[in-house]
Every structure is written in C-alpha cells, then in structure tokens.
Amino acid sequence: MAAPDAFLLASVFGILGNIVAFMVYLAPLPTFYRIFKKKSTEGFQSIPYSVALFSAMLMLYYAFLKTNAFMLITINSVGCIIETSYLVMYMIYAPAKTRIYTAKLLVLFNVGVYGVIILSTYLIPNHFLRIKVVGWISVVFSVCVFAAPLSIMRLVIRTRSVEFMSFPLSFCLTLCAVMWFFYGLLVRDLFIAAPNILGFAFGLAQMIMYLMFKNSKKSMLPEFSLNQIPNVVAVNDIVASDSQLKTEDTKKSSEAEENQSTESMTNDSRAEDAAAAEPNESIV
C-alpha cells in the first residue's frame, strides 16, 4: 500500500511542479513584450535565456535516459520551446554586434558543449553509469541556474532597494524548488532533489531580503525591473550619456548668454555713438 501512495504523491508533486515551472518560464514575457514594443533589446543580456535553454535541454536528455520520467519530459520540452522563442525574438531585435555574440554563444554552448556531452556519455557502455554521469552534469548546471539570483541579491544589499527584485517571482521559484524536491525525494532521484535544496534556500533568502528592504526609499532606475536588468556597462552608458547631455545643455546655455551679452554691448555702443553724433548735427 505504501508504494501506490508514494507514486500518487510523486505524481501530485510532479504535476504541481510542472504548473509552477511553467509560470516561471513565462515570467520574462513582460521583458520581451517591451522588446517587441520598442523594437530594441536596450542592452538586456541573452545569457540567462541561453543558460536556461541549456539546462532544459540537459534535463530532457537525462529524462530520456531514465524510465518513467514523463513529468521531466513534459516541462523541459515546454521550457526548450519557450526559451528558444525568447532567443529568436531577442536576435530579431538585437543590434548586429549583440546578435553575432548571441549566435556564437548558442553555437558554442547550446550546440557544441551539449553535443560533446551527448557524444561522450553515449560512449559509456554501462547504461546506469551513463545516467549517473548525465545526472551529475545536470546537477552542476541546475546549481548554476539557481545561483544566478546572487547578483540580484548583491545589488539589493548594495543599494538597499528591491526595485530589481520581484517578490512573486521569488515566491514561484521557491515553490517550484519545493515541488521538485519532494518529487525527487519520492521517486528516489538524488539528481532532481539535491539541486532544489539550494534553489529553496536561495528563494527563501530572496523573499526575506525583499521583506527587509521593501520599505526602503532609495530609488533606482524605475524603468527597469526583474528580468529587465541591463548589464553594468549599459547602466554606466546611460548615466554617462545623461551627464554628457547635461554638459552640452550647460555649454549651449552659456554660449547663448554670451551671445546675448555681446549683442547688448554692441547695441549700447551704437546708441552711444548715435547720441554723440546728435549734438554735432545740431551745431551744423
């Protein structure tokens, strides 16, 4: 009786994990709606979407090697489709230099490295050893994906502002980690359960940090939010361009004042000359 109960619970957590993970995959939609509306990527990076696509592809390969991994196959297939759609839209509206960089990244990372992993693990004769090797590789990249919000957390600590952090997204990520942890625990799959422990810890830390700094009045670039954070170079460029525009405006205003003062001095001198010439004309 215990085995059917465990299988039923695993199915429930797997379905809930699929639902929450699907919501997480849809989280960048506002970002890409903005890109579509402005016809520009504005300095947003493609690396997070490339890494997410690679992680989904790797878990999909792991799921095919296993048996009875339908829950993993469904969500990671959907994840591959969604992340590919994001990257296609990104490359359509990205500048030429960024488009070339993204294409090189995809070819090197998502095609080259992924192909090497498949080829090298395919040569392992023992099927169970192959599953273990692919499982550990999946754990490493899953940890990298879960550790990605560390940059956001560091930014929140430095600025004492949560404008770059979304509480609903952090909550969904935490909930997703809980669902997949229990799914991996119930199906006795360490490679699914282990990385989600770290995901739960990071998600919980983000929510605590959000509650600590949510009332902070320090403002930061209000036009950006989570999944819309440009790189540091882009932010510096924005600040530099603003200061440059202010400098140019100051120069223009000072030049205009100098021209105005010069014109007034010229008019005054002409008036004095005319006043000096009037007595002479009266004498004549």
Side-chain angles (χ1 to χ4, degrees), residues 80 96 108 141 168 184 190 195 198 212 248 283-284:
C80 288
L108 178 64
F141 282 98
L190 175 67
L198 190 62
M212 288 175 59
E248 291 178 357
I283 293 172
V284 176

Side-chain angles (χ1 to χ4, degrees), residues 256-276:
E257 291 177 357
E258 290 178 359
N259 292 334
Q260 186 176 1
S261 62
T262 303
E263 290 178 358
S264 62
M265 291 176 62
T266 304
N267 293 333
D268 291 341
S269 62
R270 287 178 181 175
E272 290 176 357
D273 293 339

Side-chain angles (χ1 to χ4, degrees), residues 10-224:
S11 300
V12 170
F13 279 109
I15 293 171
L16 292 175
N18 271 260
I19 295 172
V20 180
F22 180 72
M23 294 170 61
V24 172
Y25 276 127
L26 294 181
L29 274 179
T31 300
F32 284 91
Y33 176 73
R34 174 176 174 167
I35 290 174
F36 173 75
K37 195 173 181 181
K38 294 193 174 184
K39 311 297 182 186
S40 172
T41 56
E42 300 182 310
F44 302 142
Q45 294 183 354
S46 60
I47 295 177
Y49 311 105
S50 176
V51 173
L53 176 61
F54 183 83
S55 179
M57 292 167 61
L58 202 55
M59 286 303 298
L60 193 61
Y61 176 50
Y62 173 75
F64 278 120
L65 290 177
K66 283 176 62 68
T67 56
N68 300 323
F70 178 75
M71 297 295 178
L72 293 176
I73 293 174
T74 52
I75 188 57
N76 286 288
S77 299
V78 172
C80 288
I81 295 171
I82 293 175
E83 296 298 336
T84 302
S85 302
Y86 289 156
L87 287 166
V88 168
M89 182 175 290
Y90 183 92
M91 293 187 69
I92 290 174
Y93 296 110
K97 187 176 180 180
T98 307
R99 191 182 301 122
I100 293 172
Y101 171 79
T102 303
K104 289 180 178 178
L105 181 67
L106 291 173
V107 171
L108 178 64
F109 195 58
N110 296 80
V111 177
V113 176
Y114 186 71
V116 169
I117 291 174
I118 291 179
L119 183 61
S120 58
T121 54
Y122 184 77
L123 297 176
I124 299 175
N126 191 317
H127 181 72
F128 294 102
L129 180 60
R130 187 187 309 163
I131 292 175
K132 284 187 178 181
V133 172
V134 176
W136 280 114
I137 297 173
S138 301
V139 167
V140 171
F141 282 98
S142 296
V143 168
C144 293
V145 172
F146 282 127
L150 284 176
S151 59
I152 307 290
M153 296 168 67
R154 184 179 63 179
L155 187 63
V156 170
I157 293 173
R158 285 174 53 195
T159 61
R160 304 183 70 83
S161 172
V162 294
E163 292 188 38
F164 286 169
M165 183 179 288
S166 170
F167 184 83
L169 181 60
S170 300
F171 177 77
C172 287
L173 288 171
T174 307
L175 190 61
C176 185
V178 171
M179 297 302 172
W180 287 110
F181 167 75
F182 281 108
Y183 173 82
L185 191 66
L186 290 167
V187 298
R188 299 180 181 180
D189 193 327
L190 175 67
F191 304 119
I192 298 175
N196 285 287
I197 298 174
L198 190 62
F200 172 76
F202 281 139
L204 191 62
Q206 287 183 72
M207 290 192 293
I208 293 173
M209 194 172 292
Y210 183 92
L211 295 175
M212 288 175 59
F213 297 108
K214 69 175 182 177
N215 295 323
S216 177
K217 295 183 178 179
K218 185 171 182 179
S219 60
M220 298 182 59
L221 299 176
E223 57 193 310
F224 299 117

